[in-house]
Amino acid sequence: MEISSRSNPLIKRYKELSNERKARKAAGQFVVEGEKSVREAVQSGCEAGDIAFISESAAKKYPDTVKLVKEKWGAMTITDALAEYISDTKTPQGIFITVKSLDKILNLSTIYNSTRMLYLENLQDTGNIGTIIRTCDALGIDGVIMSPDCADIYSPKTVRSTMGSIFRVPVYFETPDKAIPLLKEAGFAVYAAVLDEKAQPLGSFTFPQKAAAVIGNEGAGITAATRALCGDSVYIPMHGAESLNASVAAAIISWEMNKKDM
C-alpha cells in the first residue's frame, strides 16, 4: 500500500516528531532521514520506532539500504511528493524512519572504563552539537555528557550533522553539579575550557590518562559555578581572533587529549 495523503495519521505523526521537541520527548522517539543516516541507525542495532517510509524514487536509487530497512524494520511506501513534504532538507533522499531515544544512564559503572570525555554546558546551536558528536567519533572520545539546557540532540538538524555518529558515541544528560563530581570519582581530571589567569595553554602539557574537558555556551562560555567544579583549566592559544566556534574548540581540545593514540 502506498501512502499519498498528507492527512494520513502516520504522516502527521512523523511531521510532529520532526518539528516539535516536546513531541519527541513525549514519544521517546526521534526522526532519522537520509540513506546514510538511516543505514547507520539500522546497522547500529538501536531500537526501532513505529514509522519507516520509503519513497518511490528511493526504492530505485538505494536498493541495498531499502532492502535492509524492510528486512529489519519493515517500511511503507510514500509518494515522492510526500517525501518532499515531510523532509527536513531541500533535496530529500526519500528514506525516513523513527528511532527510540538513545539516552544513556550516567553512573560510575558506565564511564569508569572510559578515558576521554567531553561535557557540554548550555550549547544552543544544534549544528555545533552534531558536529561535536561526529568529531568525538572520529577522534576517539569515549562519550559526551550534555547539560539539560543544551539544544535538543534529537532535532533533525543535529541528527543529520552527526552523519551517523550519534549511533556510535554514547551521549548522557546530567547537570554539571552531578556530572563533574562523578567524573572525578571515576578518576578523571576535569579541565574547563576558559580563558583566565590560571588556564594552561593547550600544547604546553600532556593530558593525564583519564581526562575530561568542559565546553561552554557559544556566547557566554562556562558558568562560574561549573568552572568552580572543575579542577584545572585550559585555553587554546590564538593569533588574531578572540574566540573559536564551540565545535572547533571541542575538536582542537579532543585532538590534543587523544593525540598520543592517533
Side-chain angles (χ1 to χ4, degrees), residues 3-261:
I3 299 174
S4 59
S5 172
R6 293 186 179 187
S7 62
N8 181 279
L10 289 177
I11 294 295
K12 289 183 176 180
R13 177 169 170 76
Y14 185 92
K15 285 284 286 185
E16 183 181 41
L17 291 172
S18 178
N19 294 335
E20 299 178 17
R21 181 174 189 172
K22 183 178 179 180
R24 291 190 289 269
K25 187 174 182 179
Q29 297 186 45
F30 63 100
V31 304
V32 181
E33 175 184 348
E35 187 272 335
K36 183 181 186 301
S37 293
V38 168
R39 175 164 37 85
E40 294 272 10
V42 176
Q43 290 177 335
S44 74
C46 65
E47 192 174 355
D50 51 20
I51 296 174
F53 295 140
I54 304 294
S55 73
E56 302 158 318
S57 297
K60 298 175 182 178
K61 191 172 183 180
Y62 309 106
D64 292 340
T65 300
V66 168
K67 181 182 178 182
L68 178 67
V69 173
K70 288 184 175 181
E71 286 178 349
K72 298 272 189 177
W73 288 3
M76 290 169 281
T77 302
I78 61 174
T79 62
D80 289 341
L82 269 187
E84 291 186 9
Y85 171 65
I86 67 173
S87 177
D88 189 59
T89 68
K90 292 182 179 180
T91 54
Q93 295 180 330
I95 305 179
F96 311 86
I97 62 174
T98 60
V99 175
K100 295 290 181 67
S101 298
L102 305 171
D103 303 9
K104 307 294 184 183
I105 298 174
L106 182 69
N107 56 38
L108 198 58
S109 64
T110 55
I111 63 172
Y112 190 79
N113 292 323
S114 300
T115 60
R116 296 288 184 263
M117 301 282 290
L118 289 186
Y119 184 88
L120 310 182
E121 183 184 33
N122 192 26
L123 264 65
Q124 294 303 307
D125 187 287
T126 53
N128 277 342
I129 293 172
T131 301
I132 288 171
I133 292 171
R134 184 181 179 188
T135 300
C136 287
D137 189 21
L139 298 182
I141 301 300
D142 297 313
V144 175
I145 309 171
M146 296 174 55
S147 64
D149 52 4
C150 282
D152 187 11
I153 189 178
Y154 297 128
S155 75
K157 182 178 178 180
T158 306
V159 173
R160 186 167 60 252
S161 61
T162 72
M163 294 295 288
S165 293
I166 192 172
F167 302 109
R168 291 187 293 272
V169 178
V171 178
Y172 309 89
F173 302 90
E174 189 52 87
T175 56
D177 62 305
K178 294 181 180 179
I180 294 175
L182 188 64
L183 284 165
K184 290 182 177 180
E185 186 179 355
F188 284 85
V190 182
Y191 294 82
V194 294
L195 192 59
D196 63 28
E197 66 279 0
K198 294 182 180 180
Q200 303 176 75
L202 200 66
S204 67
F205 67 99
T206 299
F207 281 98
Q209 184 177 358
K210 299 183 73 169
V214 180
I215 308 296
N217 174 269
E218 290 88 351
I222 297 170
T223 62
T226 297
R227 169 66 187 91
L229 291 168
C230 301
D232 298 297
S233 56
V234 62
Y235 72 93
I236 301 170
M238 289 179 283
H239 302 281
E242 293 182 357
S243 63
L244 292 170
N245 175 283
S247 63
V248 174
I252 294 171
I253 293 171
S254 295
W255 169 264
E256 190 70 26
M257 287 170 67
N258 233 15
K259 67 179 181 180
K260 68 177 186 302
D261 297 322

